[in-house]
Amino acid sequence: MNTNTFNGPHGWMLVADRREVFPDDPGNGTPLMVYAPKATASGTLGRVLDTAEVDEARNANAREVPGDVMTWLENVADQAQTFVYGD
């Protein structure tokens, strides 16, 4: 299994994808992505944890991530990172 989807509150998801890890090019790939309900907005886990925002899919506007979703992401971040990168 190369991907693991963590389902959060209100339809938010965190997708961990091992296929997006490139050891020879660490800046390439997006192994940990956060998706708003119905995939209307997304962002990397790192950015979301830093800014509490995702980018809208149809435009360049930022969308605020609800507080309870941020709490959930903080709680599952280590588990998702362990899935992608190992122990």
Side-chain angles (χ1 to χ4, degrees):
M1 175 168 62
N2 287 318
T3 62
N4 193 359
T5 301
F6 299 84
N7 295 301
H10 318 295
W12 287 77
M13 294 185 306
L14 170 58
V15 177
D17 188 346
R18 292 177 177 152
R19 297 170 298 182
E20 288 290 316
V21 175
F22 302 97
D24 294 335
D25 189 3
N28 190 16
T30 52
L32 297 165
M33 288 294 296
V34 176
Y35 294 96
K38 300 179 184 168
T40 57
S42 64
T44 63
L45 177 61
R47 176 181 177 235
V48 174
L49 291 175
D50 286 345
T51 66
E53 295 178 341
V54 289
D55 291 321
E56 291 286 346
R58 296 184 181 174
N59 56 46
N61 293 335
R63 175 177 171 185
E64 187 173 337
V65 178
D68 59 340
V69 174
M70 289 300 299
T71 299
W72 166 74
L73 286 170
E74 291 165 358
N75 289 330
V76 299
D78 286 344
Q79 186 180 356
Q81 290 174 359
T82 297
F83 174 82
V84 169
Y85 299 109
D87 293 332

